[in-house]
Amino acid sequence: MAVLGIDLRARRWALAAGLCALLVVALAVAITDRVMHDRALSEQAGLARNDAAILASSLRSELDKFSLLPIALADDPQVRALAAGDGASVAALNGRLEALARQSAAAAIYVMRADGTTLAASNWRLPTSFVGSKYAFRRYFHDALANGSATQFALGTVSREPGLYIARRIGTRAAPLGVVAVKVEFDGLERSWRDTAQRVYVTDRDGVVLLASDERWRFHLAQGASADGRDADADLRQFGIRTLRPLAIVSPNEGEAVRIPLLDTRQPILPDGWVLHLLADPAQRVDAAVATGRLALALGFLVLAVLAATGVVMRRRRDARAQALLDERTRTLREQLSQANRLATLGQISAGVGHEIGQPVAATRVFAENGQKMLAAGEVEQASGNFARIVDLADRIGRITGELRRFSRRQPADRREMPLGEAIDGALLLLRDRIRSMHVAIDLPPEEETQVVVAAEHVRLEQVLVNLLQNALDAAGEGGRVTVAVDAGGDAVCLRVIDSGTPLSPAQADDLFRPFATTKPDGLGLGLVIARDIMRDLGGELAYDADASATTFVMTIPRA
């Protein structure tokens, strides 16, 4: 029964692991498909933008080629003479226009009188000749008379072929003589679009399709365009259709399980706010990208499986050999680290104890000598007080050396909430005799500022302050002045120790926190280094204020 229970649990674990593996694979496939899908769409969109820019540039060049013709002809003396009725030869002008149309590949070039009657045309030989026809109803005609120039895309009334009419006024606005017009047809351009299997169409500013690779799209309303407010009679005259229907373009992958919409890339083209639309089908590129991604994912899983199997086999083979070597190296490394730590601790203790407890030891000696004298004089109670102070100083020295020893080992300090004044009072107690003997004036902050509560460790904070005060006393000298200031604003408390001694030179300031750099004959140059490390370990900072007018050290202490 026990074996059966173990076997059942193993099966459950195997089933759970298999389900997790399936979920991971499914998630990886889904993410890969999405990434490859988006990347393929982005690549297709970039290619479509480039193609659309090329097509737009080609169409723009085609239009630019014809735009200068009516301008030049409107100023031609023969054209002006004919329009003005000055007896110019119509036959000669017809021949010139015919030659120009053949050279420029224009569908038609013709000259109209101010009433819209065509006087001469390049197609004068054809049955569909414009000569004699009246085009005053065309918008391009009256716009050209009014504004000097105009364009209009429309269906030809005679040829029934669509094209762009580019018109130019002959004469001045005050005295118009007529209009010269050039009709441009785009059969060749549309044919090239069809030959390259590109889905392209061009719309005007109202969204009406004017040119298209599929002629069935022409004179439909593109997506976003509305038929509301359109003049049916004007549309009939211009496009030969009273009601313009919406353009419906079906994606080649319509009806498939996964539908990918066609990408509509747009390029603006003059004149009259034309826009070229290039429809790109990303389905093939997306399918290929997704297939490539899945293949790469499958290969990746296969490689991972092979690597995992190989790793398991090799790990089992080398575990026995590596264990002994690992144990030996671990013991060697631990001994090296232990030795380095002991050396570092020894250096910290040697410098710190000699530098930081000199004054408490001297005070202990004074209290002991005085206690002996008091006992000899029979002042037992006073002597007992001295011995109690000796005990306190000994405990203080023990706490300092203990804290320095723990600090050198990089052990976290036990911080607590404490009034800042406790550390200030303790430091002044240790240095009181020296301060008195040197006749140094100590300026202390107001009592309410010293009562600010900080998050620190009493002995170590006091140790840093003692170090700074000792340095300040050395710098201030006999009869000098030392100021202790507190700034309790903000999230941290700043305690400044300022002395009246000679300010430090820039070179000295640069070396302040460099180990073994000192200006004292008997100094080791470790006091400020240790003090700054203590402050940083307490979550604060110790810095030299180079911008202050006097020598100033700033202790930044976290507020409780």
Side-chain angles (χ1 to χ4, degrees), residues 35-36 74 136 170 185 193 195 211 214 261 264 283 287 330 335 394 407 482 525 537 542 552:
V35 170
M36 300 305 292
I170 306 171
E185 295 178 357
W193 292 346
D195 291 343
L211 307 175
D214 188 338
D264 185 359
D287 292 342
T330 301
E335 290 174 0
F407 164 71
V482 175
D537 194 38
L542 174 62
T552 303

Side-chain angles (χ1 to χ4, degrees), residues 33-49 51 197 199 249-254 256 258-265 278-291:
D33 287 355
R34 170 52 57 187
V35 170
M36 300 305 292
H37 176 277
D38 293 345
R39 181 180 298 176
L41 284 182
S42 177
E43 292 175 354
Q44 184 66 62
L47 294 174
R49 283 193 296 270
D51 291 344
R199 300 176 182 86
I249 300 176
V250 179
S251 173
N253 55 336
E254 185 79 22
E256 296 180 3
V258 179
R259 292 185 54 194
I260 304 177
L262 296 174
L263 297 177
D264 185 359
T265 304
L278 174 61
L279 301 179
D281 181 16
Q284 186 175 1
R285 182 178 293 273
V286 168
D287 292 342
V290 170

Side-chain angles (χ1 to χ4, degrees), residues 246-313:
L247 176 64
I249 300 176
V250 179
S251 173
N253 55 336
E254 185 79 22
E256 296 180 3
V258 179
R259 292 185 54 194
I260 304 177
L262 296 174
L263 297 177
D264 185 359
T265 304
R266 306 182 181 191
Q267 280 285 337
I269 302 172
L270 294 177
D272 294 340
W274 285 16
V275 177
L276 182 140
H277 299 250
L278 174 61
L279 301 179
D281 181 16
Q284 186 175 1
R285 182 178 293 273
V286 168
D287 292 342
V290 170
T292 301
R294 290 182 177 180
L295 177 60
L297 185 64
L299 291 176
F301 279 128
L302 179 60
V303 170
L304 287 177
V306 171
L307 290 177
T310 303
V312 170
V313 172

Side-chain angles (χ1 to χ4, degrees), residues 62-63 66-67 105-108 153 162-166 182-186:
E62 189 80 5
L63 295 173
F66 293 103
S67 61
F153 192 97
L164 176 66
Y165 295 86
I166 306 173
V182 175
K183 181 184 180 184
V184 184
E185 295 178 357
F186 301 92

Side-chain angles (χ1 to χ4, degrees), residues 9 79 97 126 242 254 304 387 434 452 457 506 520:
R9 285 197 297 271
V79 172
L97 296 179
L126 303 177
R242 293 187 61 88
E254 185 79 22
L304 287 177
F387 294 141
R434 187 181 179 195
V452 61
E457 197 277 322
K520 301 177 182 179

